[in-house]
Amino acid sequence: MDLLNTLVDKGLRRELPTREEALAVLATSDDELLDVVAAAGKVRRQWFGRRVKLNYLVNLKSGLCPEDCSYCSQRLGSKAEILKYTWLKPDDASKAAAAGVAGGAKRVCLVASGRGPTDKDVDRVSETISAIKEQNEGVEVCACLGLLSDGQAERLRAAGADAYNHNLNTSEATYGDICTTHDFSDRVSTVQQAQAAGMSACSGLIAGMGESDADLVDVVFALRELDPDSVPVNFLIPFEGTPLAKEWNLTPQRALRILAMVRFVCPDIEVRLAGGREVHLRSLQPLALHLVNSIFLGDYLTSEGQAGKDDLAMIEDAGFEVEGTDTTTLPEHRRPCGEQVAAAPEADAEAPAATVPAPSDEARRDLVSVRRRGAGTDLPPNA
């Protein structure tokens, strides 16, 4: 297929596809799916070999968020029956993180619900970062605390935070459809503050909220422009008790096409398979490893993932290997002291938006399991 040959060539040169090409990936048929995966897999292997980076989430503060993000089980007005608790103590958070590190995680992601941290919250998280790094040599720590105020990014960096996560989630044009308490520019600003403070930027998206193909391409192109080091791709988990509970728009095949499109647009960036993979990819999860080079191990913030041992077995069975702490994730040219990434060429004029796929006939609610173990409970974590 000429399209795929072109995209592989561009990916190996770190060249930005056109919007038309990115849209064409999403429009490929199921008959062409394995060809799409194979082509994107060539790009993935060029920059990351067969390595898979493991990340582990620790939910420092769960539920009761004042923001109204429609996709979130922790949102204002959510009736989802999730765990709700205030800040974990630094020692408790460190113990939770240690479980993930013992399972092979290279990065620990510290997440807290809320619009953004207070200065006291930053102090608390700083103590947690110190505790984790003292007890786990070589581990990376990423903070995800919401919108940052002036000076907070610098304080987190000084405390030892290696990275900061704040997702764009969807296109700027449709952001107001999923949230009214802050806007797209607020999210962009926070990512830029993290970068300016010297932290590695982590910013991604959520697919499956009813967006069009054009929306997906728009948000991925916006991410490419921000140039984060890692891009998590989440697939909506339609929690009962949230406004998007009935949005079951994804098939495993569509999820793979979305991941392939992200890889072609972000060829040398860490693409992370994040929340919702078990729900929407199901038995096709191993194929996704040919597209992404990073996954979350075990459970998510408010939902349970597959057993950590099953994640490790899946990686091994698919012929991949867990990336060790002695290996740098990003290719040499993207490292802080390396060569700068070449400027991307201008994209072609925007192609017409594709139609949103019809929802699945049967919602797989049996696959959504609210987290009842790990941080904030007396039960051991899944790692």
Side-chain angles (χ1 to χ4, degrees):
M1 185 187 295
D2 289 343
L3 168 68
L4 296 180
N5 291 334
T6 298
L7 288 170
V8 170
D9 289 343
K10 287 187 173 184
L12 300 184
R13 297 195 303 264
R14 295 183 279 131
E15 182 180 334
L16 185 68
T18 65
R19 290 178 183 272
E20 183 178 22
E21 288 165 344
L23 285 165
V25 173
L26 297 178
T28 54
S29 69
D30 288 350
D31 288 343
E32 299 166 313
L33 181 62
L34 290 180
D35 293 330
V36 172
V37 171
K42 291 180 182 179
V43 178
R44 179 250 199 267
R45 290 191 300 277
Q46 166 71 20
W47 302 113
F48 300 98
R50 302 191 74 84
R51 306 189 313 274
V52 178
K53 180 178 181 178
L54 299 182
N55 308 266
Y56 189 68
L57 282 169
V58 177
N59 196 352
L60 297 178
K61 182 167 72 76
S62 183
L64 306 175
C65 182
E67 303 298 286
D68 68 355
C69 306
S70 300
Y71 53 82
C72 185
S73 61
Q74 304 182 78
R75 73 187 295 274
L76 178 69
S78 171
K79 293 181 173 56
E81 297 180 352
I82 61 169
L83 289 171
K84 297 175 184 177
Y85 51 86
T86 190
W87 289 94
L88 295 182
K89 294 179 180 179
D91 284 347
D92 292 335
S94 182
K95 289 177 183 176
V101 174
K106 182 176 179 178
R107 172 175 288 189
V108 172
C109 305
L110 303 176
V111 188
S113 62
R115 179 178 178 84
T118 64
D119 287 339
K120 182 177 179 180
D121 294 336
V122 172
D123 290 339
R124 191 189 331 255
V125 174
S126 297
E127 291 179 29
T128 300
I129 294 170
S130 296
I132 290 172
K133 292 215 161 188
E134 285 173 8
Q135 298 172 28
N136 301 278
E137 184 178 357
V139 71
E140 300 174 5
V141 176
C142 178
C144 178
L145 312 173
L147 302 173
L148 294 173
S149 302
D150 290 344
Q152 290 183 331
E154 289 76 11
R155 290 174 59 198
L156 288 167
R157 182 70 185 108
D162 300 284
Y164 196 85
N165 166 259
H166 201 58
N167 295 330
L168 298 187
N169 290 329
T170 193
S171 69
E172 183 173 14
T174 60
Y175 196 84
D177 295 337
I178 64 165
C179 181
T180 65
T181 48
H182 61 266
D183 59 31
F184 189 85
S185 65
D186 293 325
R187 290 187 168 266
V188 170
S189 175
T190 287
V191 175
Q192 292 172 333
Q193 287 180 63
Q195 290 172 316
M199 287 188 284
S200 174
C202 174
S203 187
L205 65 144
I206 304 173
M209 295 189 290
E211 69 282 334
S212 68
D213 284 4
D215 290 323
L216 286 170
V217 170
D218 283 348
V219 68
V220 177
F221 271 64
L223 287 165
R224 168 74 184 242
E225 185 175 348
L226 272 178
D227 197 30
D229 292 322
S230 53
V231 173
V233 181
N234 297 276
F235 298 110
L236 177 71
I237 301 177
F239 279 98
E240 292 286 356
T242 64
L244 299 184
K246 297 186 184 304
E247 293 289 341
W248 290 84
N249 301 307
L250 297 171
T251 64
Q253 295 85 356
R254 177 159 173 80
L256 288 170
R257 282 191 284 270
I258 291 169
L259 291 171
M261 184 271 288
V262 176
R263 173 55 71 198
F264 286 129
V265 177
C266 305
D268 58 339
I269 293 173
E270 176 191 343
V271 177
R272 185 180 310 152
L273 182 55
R277 64 179 165 96
E278 298 89 346
V279 177
H280 296 292
L281 280 165
R282 303 193 283 277
S283 62
L284 295 192
Q285 287 183 74
L287 275 180
L289 296 178
H290 293 271
L291 308 171
V292 306
N293 63 292
S294 179
I295 67 170
F296 279 110
L297 177 73
D299 295 334
Y300 304 99
L301 296 178
T302 61
S303 66
E304 295 184 351
Q306 69 184 23
K309 63 180 178 61
D310 292 338
D311 286 336
L312 297 176
M314 176 180 72
I315 291 169
E316 182 178 2
D317 290 347
F320 292 86
E321 60 185 20
V322 173
E323 184 175 288
T325 56
D326 58 344
T327 302
T328 302
T329 300
L330 295 174
E332 187 174 357
H333 63 270
R334 288 195 61 88
R335 300 172 198 170
C337 297
E339 168 191 346
Q340 294 297 311
V341 178
E346 293 185 5
D348 285 357
E350 188 172 322
T355 57
V356 180
S360 304
D361 292 337
E362 295 184 8
R364 291 300 306 275
R365 303 194 182 282
D366 58 305
L367 295 172
V368 180
S369 298
V370 172
R371 181 172 68 83
R372 301 295 183 199
R373 59 194 176 197
T377 76
D378 295 326
L379 298 176
N382 173 25

